[in-house]
Amino acid sequence: MLYDQLDALRRYAQNRLSTVLLQTGGTPQARSERESFTNLYNDDIAKYDAAENGLCFGRIDLSPDDDTPVRYVGRVGILDEAHDYETLLLDWRAPMARPFYLATPAAPDDVLRRRHIRTRSRRVTSLADEYLDLAAAREAGLNSDATGVAGESALLSALDAARTGHMNDIVETIQSEQDTIIRSEHRSVLVVQGGPGTGKTAVALHRAAYLLYTYRQQLAKSGVLIIGPNATFLDYIGQVLPSLGETGVLLSTIGNLYPGVRATLDESPTAAQVKGSTAMVGILAKAVRDRQEVPTAPKKLRFDTYEITLDRKLVTRARGRARSSRRPHNLARPLFVASAVEGLAQQLADRLGQNVIDGGSLLSRDDIADMRDEMKEDADVMAAIDELWPDLSPQQVLRDLFASPERIAAAAPELTESERASLLRRSRGFSSADSPLLDELAELLGIDDAAEREQANRQWRNQIADAQGALDILTGSAPQDLEDELDPEILMAYDLVDASQLASRQDSGVKLTTAERAAGDRTWTYGHVIVDEAQELSDMAWRMVMRRVPNRWMTLVGDVAQTGDPAGTTSWSEVLEPYVAQRWKRTELTVNYRTPSEIMKVARDVLAAIDPVQTVPRSVRDSGQVPWAQHTTGDELVATVQDRLAEHPRPGISAVLAPHALVESMAHLRSDVVTVSTVKDAKGLEFDSVLIVEPMDIVDESPRGMGDLYVALTRATQRMGVVHTRPLPAELSALEPFDALVP
């Protein structure tokens, strides 16, 4: 019955969409309504398609005295239209579905039994029951876990399943501490601190789905932005929200958040640290001011047949007038141009218009105004003025700055010589650390959209002219004798609309979703922003993010013990208090669902070296696999890694995590089931098996290398091994020698 209703809902949405798409023309209001309905039905179809897999995954049996003693829980809500819209399936986000996640034997919340339902396509493959009535459970000889891990059999089954290369949702196995965070009503910044494997990312994505469900009207217009650490991560999580019925969320990295720019370059640790510091605010401001030049020597120009001079005094006065407006560079430029042209025109007027009889001027104000207008059309005059105060783009300023040792030295005298050298770059591309700098420059430069506005106005005037022409043709095409015979009360088309109204009815073209419009608009402000691996963001990146969420309603998930970026943070308060003071709330996830206890025993020593105060998240399972270390020679390193990969069971996904210098030498090991990358590119991901290569090099290649090692150790869900030629860090002493494990 559930799938019959789902099919009916899908057919209804498809039929309504077809009807809407067949409609054309109409008033602006009608076109707007069609666009809204098109988006609505497209979203509905996508939601129903995504819900097909695992539509119903749970059931709760409550006390017989309850109004609805049996409730089925699934990905979307479904009503039975044939029986007074009785609820057949509860959306997992609905308040009535909460007991499915929160009930425990210690606090059953009237739930007698919880059933986990697993399906494949439209067929039930397994059932797992939990009795939350302790007496009934004991009578049935069943064990019910009162430790807070609900649905143990379903949870462990999901955790033990082989990875597929894409993240699965956890909607079937959300735990109590996760559910509390997902449904939090905190309306400022919510920080979710959690160690590896605690489900931070899953919680963040399910929170996005929950907020869109609960605050649909508000967030559908403003959108939700999710920021991840790298493109691989975004691809990894890309299927989760659609599977939960949400398709209108923008996913981006910091490097790709600035419209039109894709981060393709890597940075040295020194450059990343410098670019991430708020010292760059002053450096960029100085770089922009340095483009507002004053000539060192007078510059002679020819205007008509006369000579005029751009001298230091004239330009200084024009620059002062523009700067005193306190407008951004490009928006202040018209003031500079106007002042410079005024000075040149007055200079020429004084030279040409002196009256030898009374000392007055032969030139009127209108003559001088005409002279100014002619100068603004003179290519040589304007080129000279443009050199002194050019119209700039953020990309142009940043490229010019980093390509010139002289510009860097002038803008950043406070940096050390090595820091300035780290910024020097000849490539025209950009890195992830550059994106916040471009955003800062956009604020400093401003956007002079006068030309775009004029183009839009010109286009509108042309549309009105075309519409008027159509009306004129329609008017002229009616024979005079026919018009004479018509009843004067009968209205013609030209009696009903004028040219402006007709022009406004022209279709404006391609309709974009909220996420698509937001992605192309740097000034777009979101209703909610979620940042995963938030500890990796630099101070400059936080400035960029905060511009996009002026209401400061955010969810940040991360682990300060895993900070690897040289410009990242180890303190949530230091990051947030400049923006929200004390209006932020810290929550914590304490249970490790991903990493087996055997691996966490090794990772515990690394965590203690990073921060002895940090609590190790409690693993819910053992894998039976002992983490090991194998020493080899440099010549045999790649071959040894290849041999160990060959031993990993299938199915499953394996990862080789290596220092940057070694990744390319092992690139040939990549396949559909094997990935080879740096630790940075594996942030937020998980694999069945992990091989860590040269851990000492991983530690040495970054100022926060120990954090990178901690990340590498905690990516595996089943097996983890280390291959090395250099001595191991002392923190890995708990690893067993590989040779001792070989039978």
Side-chain angles (χ1 to χ4, degrees):
M1 178 180 289
L2 285 177
Y3 279 104
D4 291 341
Q5 289 292 331
L6 183 69
D7 290 340
L9 290 170
R10 185 189 289 112
R11 286 194 301 271
Y12 174 79
Q14 289 170 337
N15 291 336
R16 293 301 303 158
L17 177 62
S18 299
T19 301
V20 170
L21 292 177
L22 288 174
Q23 298 173 1
T24 59
T27 65
Q29 179 180 349
R31 295 202 308 274
S32 176
E33 290 175 353
R34 286 202 305 274
E35 179 183 358
S36 298
F37 280 120
T38 299
N39 293 336
L40 172 65
Y41 295 131
N42 274 322
D43 288 347
D44 283 346
I45 293 170
K47 177 175 64 178
Y48 300 141
D49 287 344
E52 175 79 22
N53 184 31
L55 173 62
C56 175
F57 53 77
R59 164 180 160 169
I60 48 178
D61 298 346
L62 292 90
S63 167
D65 297 332
D66 195 281
D67 292 338
T68 52
V70 176
R71 302 176 189 172
Y72 286 92
V73 181
R75 297 181 179 278
V76 297
I78 294 180
L79 302 177
D80 185 355
E81 297 182 9
H83 296 84
D84 296 327
Y85 293 94
E86 176 187 347
T87 299
L88 294 177
L89 187 66
L90 281 171
D91 190 298
W92 67 274
R93 296 165 287 194
M96 290 182 67
R98 289 205 74 183
F100 181 78
Y101 301 110
L102 298 185
T104 66
D109 196 18
D110 290 334
V111 177
L112 303 180
R113 182 180 67 172
R114 172 170 42 220
R115 169 169 288 179
H116 293 268
I117 305 169
R118 305 203 75 180
T119 61
R120 177 171 298 173
S121 297
R122 298 190 173 191
R123 183 171 59 87
V124 175
T125 58
S126 67
L127 300 173
D129 286 344
E130 291 177 89
Y131 288 86
L132 280 78
D133 182 292
L134 296 181
R138 283 192 292 269
E139 289 177 7
L142 300 173
N143 177 41
S144 194
D145 186 0
T147 63
V149 179
E152 182 174 357
S153 61
L155 175 63
L156 294 182
S157 176
L159 296 176
D160 287 334
R163 306 301 100 176
T164 64
H166 290 280
M167 183 179 183
N168 297 318
D169 63 63
I170 61 167
V171 66
E172 303 173 23
T173 56
I174 292 172
Q175 299 300 301
S176 177
E177 70 172 5
Q178 296 172 327
D179 185 82
T180 299
I181 294 171
I182 289 169
R183 300 173 192 264
S184 172
E185 296 183 0
H186 187 67
R187 291 301 295 261
S188 185
V189 179
L190 180 68
V191 174
V192 184
Q193 165 70 35
T198 54
K200 299 184 296 296
T201 298
V203 166
L205 296 175
H206 288 70
R207 177 160 172 76
Y210 171 76
L211 292 176
L212 283 163
Y213 173 85
T214 308
Y215 303 99
R216 175 73 62 189
Q217 186 173 6
Q218 174 184 345
L219 295 180
K221 296 178 180 178
S222 57
V224 173
L225 169 66
I226 297 180
I227 299 174
N230 52 60
T232 305
F233 172 83
L234 295 182
D235 181 63
Y236 175 64
I237 69 172
Q239 297 179 0
V240 174
L241 282 170
S243 74
L244 297 173
E246 300 298 344
T247 58
V249 177
L250 177 64
L251 278 66
S252 179
T253 63
I254 284 292
N256 295 340
L257 191 54
Y258 188 88
V261 171
R262 290 293 175 265
T264 57
L265 302 181
D266 292 325
E267 292 284 10
S268 69
T270 301
Q273 193 163 15
V274 172
K275 291 182 177 182
S277 167
T278 52
M280 287 302 303
V281 176
I283 292 172
L284 295 175
K286 184 70 162 57
V288 171
R289 288 177 70 87
D290 285 347
R291 304 300 291 266
Q292 302 164 1
E293 300 179 13
V294 172
T296 55
K299 185 168 186 176
K300 305 294 184 181
L301 302 172
R302 300 294 300 181
F303 174 69
D304 201 358
T305 59
Y306 305 101
E307 183 179 271
I308 52 179
T309 304
L310 269 175
D311 57 28
R312 189 174 185 84
K313 181 178 179 181
L314 185 152
V315 174
T316 299
R317 184 185 303 113
R319 186 176 69 172
R321 185 174 298 177
R323 284 181 173 177
S324 65
S325 72
R326 308 188 73 82
R327 297 179 185 176
H329 173 92
N330 289 336
L331 301 185
R333 182 178 175 276
L335 297 177
F336 174 82
V337 171
S339 181
V341 169
E342 181 182 358
L344 290 173
Q346 191 60 52
Q347 179 187 117
L348 185 57
D350 291 343
R351 183 178 306 167
L352 296 179
Q354 288 184 348
N355 188 316
V356 296
I357 299 176
D358 57 12
S361 174
L362 295 176
L363 300 178
S364 67
R365 290 183 178 180
D366 290 341
D367 293 332
I368 297 176
D370 291 341
M371 193 182 300
R372 288 197 299 267
D373 292 340
E374 291 174 11
M375 284 186 178
K376 289 179 181 178
E377 298 297 325
D378 188 284
D380 292 337
V381 172
M382 293 308 299
I385 294 175
D386 287 345
E387 287 181 6
L388 300 174
W389 193 299
D391 187 25
L392 298 170
S393 70
Q395 292 91 325
Q396 178 185 354
V397 173
L398 205 63
R399 287 190 182 114
D400 291 348
L401 175 63
F402 292 155
S404 168
E406 293 77 19
R407 289 190 187 275
I408 294 175
E414 67 271 27
L415 297 183
T416 66
E417 185 175 345
S418 63
E419 288 173 333
R420 289 197 293 269
S422 72
L423 299 178
L424 191 62
R425 184 175 67 208
R426 302 297 181 186
S427 172
R428 292 182 58 81
F430 296 104
S431 70
S432 292
D434 290 328
S435 188
L437 307 188
L438 292 170
D439 203 60
E440 193 74 30
L441 282 168
E443 294 290 311
L444 293 168
L445 294 173
I447 300 175
D448 184 1
D449 60 353
E452 287 79 1
R453 289 200 308 271
E454 175 55 32
Q455 182 179 0
N457 290 335
R458 190 182 305 114
Q459 182 178 354
W460 174 242
R461 289 194 295 270
N462 290 337
Q463 286 181 226
I464 290 179
D466 291 342
Q468 185 61 56
L471 290 176
D472 291 344
I473 292 173
L474 185 60
T475 303
S477 65
Q480 184 62 46
D481 57 349
L482 178 61
E483 287 195 357
D484 293 340
E485 295 176 4
L486 285 175
D487 188 329
E489 294 186 1
I490 297 178
L491 300 178
M492 303 293 289
Y494 41 80
D495 296 317
L496 299 175
V497 296
D498 59 19
S500 177
Q501 291 172 315
L502 184 60
S504 69
R505 296 186 181 186
Q506 297 181 21
D507 200 334
S508 58
V510 178
K511 304 299 183 183
L512 301 178
T513 66
T514 298
E516 290 169 333
R517 295 199 307 273
D521 185 352
R522 191 194 71 83
T523 62
W524 189 277
T525 56
Y526 297 87
H528 193 83
V529 171
I530 293 175
V531 185
D532 203 341
E533 301 291 347
Q535 76 279 354
E536 300 297 325
L537 268 61
S538 68
D539 289 343
M540 291 300 294
W542 282 116
R543 289 174 64 88
M544 182 184 196
V545 171
M546 291 299 179
R547 290 189 189 103
R548 285 154 176 77
V549 56
N551 65 1
R552 301 294 191 260
W553 191 20
M554 308 173 69
T555 301
L556 313 179
V557 298
D559 179 13
V560 291
Q562 297 186 61
T563 304
D565 194 292
T569 187
T570 57
S571 169
W572 296 120
S573 60
E574 289 181 6
V575 165
L576 296 175
E577 288 182 2
Y579 299 101
V580 294
Q582 302 297 320
R583 299 188 309 277
W584 63 281
K585 179 181 179 181
R586 184 184 187 275
T587 60
E588 188 165 7
L589 294 170
T590 60
V591 180
N592 189 333
Y593 304 99
R594 176 207 302 144
T595 317
S597 59
E598 296 91 340
I599 297 177
M600 284 309 299
K601 181 180 177 181
V602 178
R604 181 182 296 111
D605 295 335
V606 177
L607 178 60
I610 298 171
D611 185 355
V613 180
Q614 281 273 15
T615 302
V616 180
R618 175 176 60 87
S619 295
V620 298
R621 64 194 176 99
D622 305 327
S623 68
Q625 304 286 331
V626 178
W628 51 264
Q630 181 177 8
H631 183 270
T632 187
T633 64
D635 293 340
E636 297 294 325
L637 180 64
V638 177
T640 301
V641 171
Q642 190 167 7
D643 289 344
R644 299 292 78 80
L645 282 173
E647 298 168 356
H648 288 170
R650 300 289 184 267
I653 303 294
S654 298
V656 177
L657 304 182
H660 190 276
L662 293 179
V663 168
E664 196 59 36
S665 66
M666 291 181 286
H668 64 284
L669 301 177
R670 293 189 178 108
S671 69
D672 291 341
V673 293
V674 176
T675 181
V676 179
S677 74
T678 62
V679 178
K680 178 181 178 181
D681 289 336
K683 278 260 185 202
L685 307 181
E686 61 181 31
F687 312 92
D688 296 276
S689 304
V690 171
L691 286 178
I692 302 172
V693 181
E694 293 291 22
M696 187 58 80
D697 286 356
I698 292 175
V699 172
D700 289 345
E701 73 178 355
S702 167
R704 289 178 169 164
M706 195 61 72
D708 288 338
L709 180 58
Y710 184 56
V711 171
L713 288 169
T714 54
R715 296 305 95 195
T717 65
Q718 302 293 338
R719 297 163 294 277
M720 188 273 293
V722 172
V723 179
H724 62 105
T725 62
R726 296 180 61 191
L728 291 175
E731 290 79 8
L732 297 184
S733 60
L735 290 170
E736 292 289 337
F738 178 77
D739 293 340
L741 301 177
V742 177

